[in-house]
Amino acid sequence: MPKSLSAPPRSAAEPARASGDALGALPQWDLRSLYPAPDSEEFAADLARAGTEAKAFAELYRGKVEQLAEDRTGASLAAAVRHYEALEELLGRVMSYAGLIYAGDAADPKNAKFYGDAQEAVTNASADLLFFELELNRLDDGALEQALKDGPLSRYRPWIEDVRKGRPHQLSDELEKLFHEKSTTSYSAWNRLFDETITALRFDVDGETLTIEPTLNLLQDRDEATREKAAKAVGATLDENLRVFTLVTNTLAKDKEISDRWRGFKDVADARHLSNRVEREVVDALVAAVRDAYPRLSHRYYRLKAKWFGKPALMFWDRNAPLPDAPQQLYRWDEAREAVLSAYGDFSPKMAEIARRFFDEGWIDAPVRPGKSPGAFAHPTVPSAHPYVLLNFQGKPRDVMTLAHELGHGVHQVLAAPNGALMAPTPLTLAETASVFGEMLTFRALLARANTPAERRAMLAAKVEDMLNTVVRQIAFYSFERRVHLERRKGELTAEQICGFWMDVQGESLGPAIEFTPDYRPYWAYIPHFVHSPFYVYAYAFGDCLVNSLYGVYQNASEGFAERYFALLSAGGSKPYGALLKPFGLDARDPAFWNIGLSMIEGMIDELEALEAQA
C-alpha cells in the first residue's frame, strides 16, 4: 500500500458536499509512467525479472559480503550495494503500481487480486535479498570503516550506518526469512482485511447510503441536524462491524508483540522510534509537552468555540463544525490549484514549479469514488519515476489545505529522489515537514486576503482546529495506541475495553467542553494508521511543532531561508534530523524546543480571544 498514509482529519467551515459540476473538472491520475496497464507485458516482464534477478543476486553474493569488504578500496562492496539498490528500485516500482491501482478502487475484486498477487511475488523475490543487509550487519566495524573511508562506497555511508543501527534486533538468517515470508499471511493479510472492510462499509444518513469519506465529510456540514445524523450513522455502522475491527486490532497487536519480543525491543514503540531514527527520550518529551498543554490549547479553544455556539459544551459532532457566522465558501478545483501554487510561488518559484508538474502531468487523483481509499496521501513510488497524490476533493477550505499538505509531500519526494532508492526515503520525523510547511504557506496567503473580522476569525479558527487535530489529537492517538498495545500484552482485549481506552484519551485531550455520546465509542475503528503503521501518528505532531519553529525562523530571517529549506528536503534520508535542523539553529533534543511550536497555536487562540473581546 502507499507509503505515505492519509493526513489527520482537518476542520472545515463550509458545505459538506458539492457536485462535480460545482467543483469543475477533477483530475484522475495517469499511472502509465509506471506501467501501461495491469495486464501489460511490461508489468508481467518486470514481475518475472524481479524474481529471476533476486535469485541471481543471492547466488552471486550470499555468504560473500565479508569477502567483498576485504577490498580496502570499497569498490567491490559498492558494486554489490549498487546492484542491491537497482533491485530495490525494481521491486518498489512493481509494488507502487499495484498499490496505487488498489487504492484507486479496493472494492474491485480484480484490483484486490492484482495487488495480492503482486505483493506475494515481491515478498518471495525480496526474501532472496534478505541476506544482504544481515551480512552487512555482521561485518567487523574496523574493516567496514576502512572500506567506507574513500571511494565509491562512501556515498552509501548514511544508508549503511542506518542499516547497522538495527544490529541489536537482528535475528538469524533463517528466522528473518521466516518472518518475511510469513508477512503475507500475517500482518499484511490483516491490513488488507481492514482496507477491504472499510471501503465496503455503507452508512445510512437520513435515507441516503454513503461510503465512509462523504459520511465523515458531513461532520463539517453547516446544519447541526445533518452533523448529528452523520455522527450517529458512523457510530452505528462501526459498531455493527466492531467484532471484525476488534479481531484485527488484537491480532496485529499480538503479531507486533511477538516480533518485538524476538527482536528485543523493550518498549511497545521502540521499533517505530528506530525506524524513525529518533530517540525515545525526544518522543517522550514531545508527548509530555503536548499533554501538559492540553488545558492551554484544546480545552481552552473548545470552551471558546462552545461560547460562540451559545452552548455550555459542544457535542462531539460539533467539534469541527463551521462557526455560526463563518462565510460560506466553496473552492472549484482551479481555484484550489491557484491558491496553493500562488502561495508556494510567493515562497519560492522553484517550489511552485515542482508542484505545478503534479497538475500538468497527471500525478493527482482528486474525485471521490466508491471503493477509493479514504483520506489523502502522497506516494513517492521510486526515484526513476515520480510521486502520485490521492485526494478526495470536495471543495472545502479543508480540501485546499489537504492539497497543500500532500503537494508538500510531493515536492519533498521529488527533491529527495536523486539520493536513490536506498537514501531517498525520509524518516517520519521529517517526513511531515514539507507537508505542514506547505499548509502553513497556503494558510498565511489566504489569511492575508481576509476582508472582515468574521472572515479572519473563521480562518483562524479553522487553522487552530487543524493544528489541534495534527498535534493534540495525534498525541492522544499515540496515547491510545500505547494503552492498547500494553494491555494486549496481558491478554486479548474486548471491544468494550478498547472503546473504554478510546473514550479515556479523548476526554483527557479534548476537555470538558466536548460532550460525548455512546455513538463515539467505536470511532477508533476506522483510523488506518493504527492498522498500517503502529505509532506513526506522533510524526504529525513532531512535524507540526517542528514546522511552527521553522516558520518562526523564516518570519524572523527570510534571507537565504529557502536555500537552506531546499537543502533539508533534498537530503532525503541521507542525514539525521539533528544535522538537518542545525543550520536553522533548532535542536529537537532541547526539552524547550516543543514549547516553541506549541506557543504558535497558543498565540492564535490568543488572537481569537482578542477578536471575541472586540466583537
Side-chain angles (χ1 to χ4, degrees), residues 90-112:
L90 175 61
L91 295 173
R93 177 178 284 265
V94 166
M95 277 315 299
S96 294
Y97 183 69
L100 293 172
I101 289 288
Y102 183 62
D105 185 359
D108 186 335
K110 290 185 297 183
N111 291 348

mmCIF file of all heavy atoms in Angstrom, residues 90-112:
data_model
loop_
_atom_site.group_PDB
_atom_site.id
_atom_site.type_symbol
_atom_site.label_atom_id
_atom_site.label_comp_id
_atom_site.label_asym_id
_atom_site.label_seq_id
_atom_site.Cartn_x
_atom_site.Cartn_y
_atom_site.Cartn_z
ATOM 1 N N LEU A 90 13.456 -1.791 -8.638
ATOM 2 C CA LEU A 90 12.560 -2.609 -9.451
ATOM 3 C C LEU A 90 11.376 -3.113 -8.627
ATOM 4 O O LEU A 90 10.209 -3.014 -9.048
ATOM 5 C CB LEU A 90 13.335 -3.795 -10.037
ATOM 6 C CG LEU A 90 12.521 -4.834 -10.819
ATOM 7 C CD1 LEU A 90 11.830 -4.194 -12.032
ATOM 8 C CD2 LEU A 90 13.424 -5.983 -11.259
ATOM 9 N N LEU A 91 11.668 -3.661 -7.453
ATOM 10 C CA LEU A 91 10.596 -4.158 -6.590
ATOM 11 C C LEU A 91 9.679 -3.018 -6.152
ATOM 12 O O LEU A 91 8.453 -3.182 -6.071
ATOM 13 C CB LEU A 91 11.190 -4.854 -5.357
ATOM 14 C CG LEU A 91 12.002 -6.121 -5.614
ATOM 15 C CD1 LEU A 91 12.656 -6.604 -4.326
ATOM 16 C CD2 LEU A 91 11.130 -7.218 -6.200
ATOM 17 N N GLY A 92 10.265 -1.866 -5.889
ATOM 18 C CA GLY A 92 9.471 -0.704 -5.490
ATOM 19 C C GLY A 92 8.548 -0.228 -6.587
ATOM 20 O O GLY A 92 7.397 0.164 -6.327
ATOM 21 N N ARG A 93 8.998 -0.268 -7.817
ATOM 22 C CA ARG A 93 8.163 0.137 -8.945
ATOM 23 C C ARG A 93 6.950 -0.799 -9.080
ATOM 24 O O ARG A 93 5.818 -0.338 -9.254
ATOM 25 C CB ARG A 93 8.977 0.149 -10.235
ATOM 26 C CG ARG A 93 8.169 0.496 -11.491
ATOM 27 C CD ARG A 93 9.062 0.524 -12.717
ATOM 28 N NE ARG A 93 9.863 1.734 -12.766
ATOM 29 C CZ ARG A 93 9.543 2.849 -13.431
ATOM 30 N NH1 ARG A 93 8.393 2.909 -14.101
ATOM 31 N NH2 ARG A 93 10.334 3.887 -13.430
ATOM 32 N N VAL A 94 7.198 -2.084 -8.997
ATOM 33 C CA VAL A 94 6.120 -3.067 -9.116
ATOM 34 C C VAL A 94 5.073 -2.853 -8.024
ATOM 35 O O VAL A 94 3.867 -2.784 -8.287
ATOM 36 C CB VAL A 94 6.689 -4.498 -9.050
ATOM 37 C CG1 VAL A 94 5.573 -5.516 -8.822
ATOM 38 C CG2 VAL A 94 7.460 -4.828 -10.322
ATOM 39 N N MET A 95 5.528 -2.736 -6.765
ATOM 40 C CA MET A 95 4.572 -2.609 -5.659
ATOM 41 C C MET A 95 3.916 -1.238 -5.611
ATOM 42 O O MET A 95 2.764 -1.122 -5.182
ATOM 43 C CB MET A 95 5.258 -2.909 -4.329
ATOM 44 C CG MET A 95 5.348 -4.387 -4.007
ATOM 45 S SD MET A 95 3.817 -5.336 -4.299
ATOM 46 C CE MET A 95 2.663 -4.542 -3.204
ATOM 47 N N SER A 96 4.603 -0.215 -6.056
ATOM 48 C CA SER A 96 3.983 1.114 -6.113
ATOM 49 C C SER A 96 2.800 1.094 -7.068
ATOM 50 O O SER A 96 1.708 1.590 -6.749
ATOM 51 C CB SER A 96 4.993 2.169 -6.575
ATOM 52 O OG SER A 96 6.018 2.342 -5.625
ATOM 53 N N TYR A 97 3.011 0.503 -8.225
ATOM 54 C CA TYR A 97 1.936 0.438 -9.219
ATOM 55 C C TYR A 97 0.759 -0.385 -8.692
ATOM 56 O O TYR A 97 -0.403 0.037 -8.764
ATOM 57 C CB TYR A 97 2.467 -0.172 -10.510
ATOM 58 C CG TYR A 97 1.453 -0.209 -11.632
ATOM 59 C CD1 TYR A 97 1.011 0.969 -12.247
ATOM 60 C CD2 TYR A 97 0.932 -1.417 -12.084
ATOM 61 C CE1 TYR A 97 0.080 0.941 -13.274
ATOM 62 C CE2 TYR A 97 -0.003 -1.459 -13.115
ATOM 63 C CZ TYR A 97 -0.420 -0.278 -13.702
ATOM 64 O OH TYR A 97 -1.350 -0.308 -14.720
ATOM 65 N N ALA A 98 1.060 -1.556 -8.138
ATOM 66 C CA ALA A 98 -0.013 -2.410 -7.617
ATOM 67 C C ALA A 98 -0.763 -1.710 -6.488
ATOM 68 O O ALA A 98 -2.001 -1.773 -6.406
ATOM 69 C CB ALA A 98 0.558 -3.735 -7.130
ATOM 70 N N GLY A 99 -0.029 -1.013 -5.630
ATOM 71 C CA GLY A 99 -0.655 -0.315 -4.516
ATOM 72 C C GLY A 99 -1.544 0.827 -4.958
ATOM 73 O O GLY A 99 -2.623 1.051 -4.394
ATOM 74 N N LEU A 100 -1.120 1.565 -5.984
ATOM 75 C CA LEU A 100 -1.917 2.680 -6.485
ATOM 76 C C LEU A 100 -3.166 2.192 -7.210
ATOM 77 O O LEU A 100 -4.245 2.800 -7.095
ATOM 78 C CB LEU A 100 -1.062 3.567 -7.401
ATOM 79 C CG LEU A 100 0.072 4.322 -6.698
ATOM 80 C CD1 LEU A 100 0.966 5.017 -7.722
ATOM 81 C CD2 LEU A 100 -0.471 5.330 -5.695
ATOM 82 N N ILE A 101 -3.039 1.123 -7.977
ATOM 83 C CA ILE A 101 -4.218 0.528 -8.616
ATOM 84 C C ILE A 101 -5.240 0.121 -7.549
ATOM 85 O O ILE A 101 -6.439 0.386 -7.656
ATOM 86 C CB ILE A 101 -3.813 -0.698 -9.470
ATOM 87 C CG1 ILE A 101 -3.036 -0.254 -10.728
ATOM 88 C CG2 ILE A 101 -5.034 -1.524 -9.849
ATOM 89 C CD1 ILE A 101 -3.885 0.421 -11.792
ATOM 90 N N TYR A 102 -4.752 -0.519 -6.510
ATOM 91 C CA TYR A 102 -5.615 -0.984 -5.422
ATOM 92 C C TYR A 102 -6.256 0.191 -4.678
ATOM 93 O O TYR A 102 -7.451 0.166 -4.365
ATOM 94 C CB TYR A 102 -4.781 -1.834 -4.475
ATOM 95 C CG TYR A 102 -5.527 -2.462 -3.327
ATOM 96 C CD1 TYR A 102 -6.553 -3.383 -3.545
ATOM 97 C CD2 TYR A 102 -5.182 -2.170 -2.009
ATOM 98 C CE1 TYR A 102 -7.219 -3.981 -2.489
ATOM 99 C CE2 TYR A 102 -5.845 -2.763 -0.942
ATOM 100 C CZ TYR A 102 -6.863 -3.662 -1.189
ATOM 101 O OH TYR A 102 -7.523 -4.250 -0.138
ATOM 102 N N ALA A 103 -5.481 1.240 -4.415
ATOM 103 C CA ALA A 103 -6.009 2.408 -3.705
ATOM 104 C C ALA A 103 -7.086 3.111 -4.520
ATOM 105 O O ALA A 103 -8.014 3.701 -3.957
ATOM 106 C CB ALA A 103 -4.878 3.382 -3.391
ATOM 107 N N GLY A 104 -6.986 3.045 -5.845
ATOM 108 C CA GLY A 104 -7.978 3.689 -6.701
ATOM 109 C C GLY A 104 -9.343 3.054 -6.606
ATOM 110 O O GLY A 104 -10.373 3.729 -6.745
ATOM 111 N N ASP A 105 -9.399 1.739 -6.328
ATOM 112 C CA ASP A 105 -10.673 1.051 -6.134
ATOM 113 C C ASP A 105 -10.400 -0.300 -5.483
ATOM 114 O O ASP A 105 -10.246 -1.318 -6.159
ATOM 115 C CB ASP A 105 -11.427 0.865 -7.454
ATOM 116 C CG ASP A 105 -12.812 0.260 -7.262
ATOM 117 O OD1 ASP A 105 -13.173 -0.032 -6.108
ATOM 118 O OD2 ASP A 105 -13.523 0.069 -8.268
ATOM 119 N N ALA A 106 -10.357 -0.287 -4.143
ATOM 120 C CA ALA A 106 -10.074 -1.519 -3.408
ATOM 121 C C ALA A 106 -11.271 -2.459 -3.396
ATOM 122 O O ALA A 106 -11.137 -3.631 -3.032
ATOM 123 C CB ALA A 106 -9.665 -1.181 -1.972
ATOM 124 N N ALA A 107 -12.437 -1.954 -3.789
ATOM 125 C CA ALA A 107 -13.640 -2.787 -3.789
ATOM 126 C C ALA A 107 -13.724 -3.688 -5.018
ATOM 127 O O ALA A 107 -14.510 -4.640 -5.047
ATOM 128 C CB ALA A 107 -14.891 -1.916 -3.703
ATOM 129 N N ASP A 108 -12.932 -3.409 -6.045
ATOM 130 C CA ASP A 108 -12.940 -4.205 -7.265
ATOM 131 C C ASP A 108 -12.139 -5.490 -7.027
ATOM 132 O O ASP A 108 -10.934 -5.430 -6.755
ATOM 133 C CB ASP A 108 -12.318 -3.397 -8.409
ATOM 134 C CG ASP A 108 -12.421 -4.102 -9.756
ATOM 135 O OD1 ASP A 108 -12.512 -5.339 -9.778
ATOM 136 O OD2 ASP A 108 -12.399 -3.397 -10.783
ATOM 137 N N PRO A 109 -12.770 -6.653 -7.122
ATOM 138 C CA PRO A 109 -12.047 -7.912 -6.870
ATOM 139 C C PRO A 109 -10.826 -8.094 -7.768
ATOM 140 O O PRO A 109 -9.830 -8.696 -7.359
ATOM 141 C CB PRO A 109 -13.110 -8.984 -7.156
ATOM 142 C CG PRO A 109 -14.423 -8.292 -6.971
ATOM 143 C CD PRO A 109 -14.196 -6.877 -7.414
ATOM 144 N N LYS A 110 -10.898 -7.585 -8.996
ATOM 145 C CA LYS A 110 -9.743 -7.707 -9.898
ATOM 146 C C LYS A 110 -8.548 -6.934 -9.349
ATOM 147 O O LYS A 110 -7.401 -7.399 -9.431
ATOM 148 C CB LYS A 110 -10.106 -7.194 -11.294
ATOM 149 C CG LYS A 110 -11.082 -8.071 -12.061
ATOM 150 C CD LYS A 110 -11.306 -7.557 -13.476
ATOM 151 C CE LYS A 110 -11.951 -6.177 -13.464
ATOM 152 N NZ LYS A 110 -12.258 -5.675 -14.827
ATOM 153 N N ASN A 111 -8.815 -5.745 -8.803
ATOM 154 C CA ASN A 111 -7.730 -4.949 -8.230
ATOM 155 C C ASN A 111 -7.166 -5.614 -6.980
ATOM 156 O O ASN A 111 -5.958 -5.590 -6.741
ATOM 157 C CB ASN A 111 -8.226 -3.546 -7.896
ATOM 158 C CG ASN A 111 -8.540 -2.716 -9.121
ATOM 159 O OD1 ASN A 111 -8.181 -3.096 -10.237
ATOM 160 N ND2 ASN A 111 -9.220 -1.601 -8.938
ATOM 161 N N ALA A 112 -8.062 -6.182 -6.174
ATOM 162 C CA ALA A 112 -7.606 -6.862 -4.959
ATOM 163 C C ALA A 112 -6.713 -8.051 -5.304
ATOM 164 O O ALA A 112 -5.670 -8.271 -4.672
ATOM 165 C CB ALA A 112 -8.809 -7.313 -4.137
#
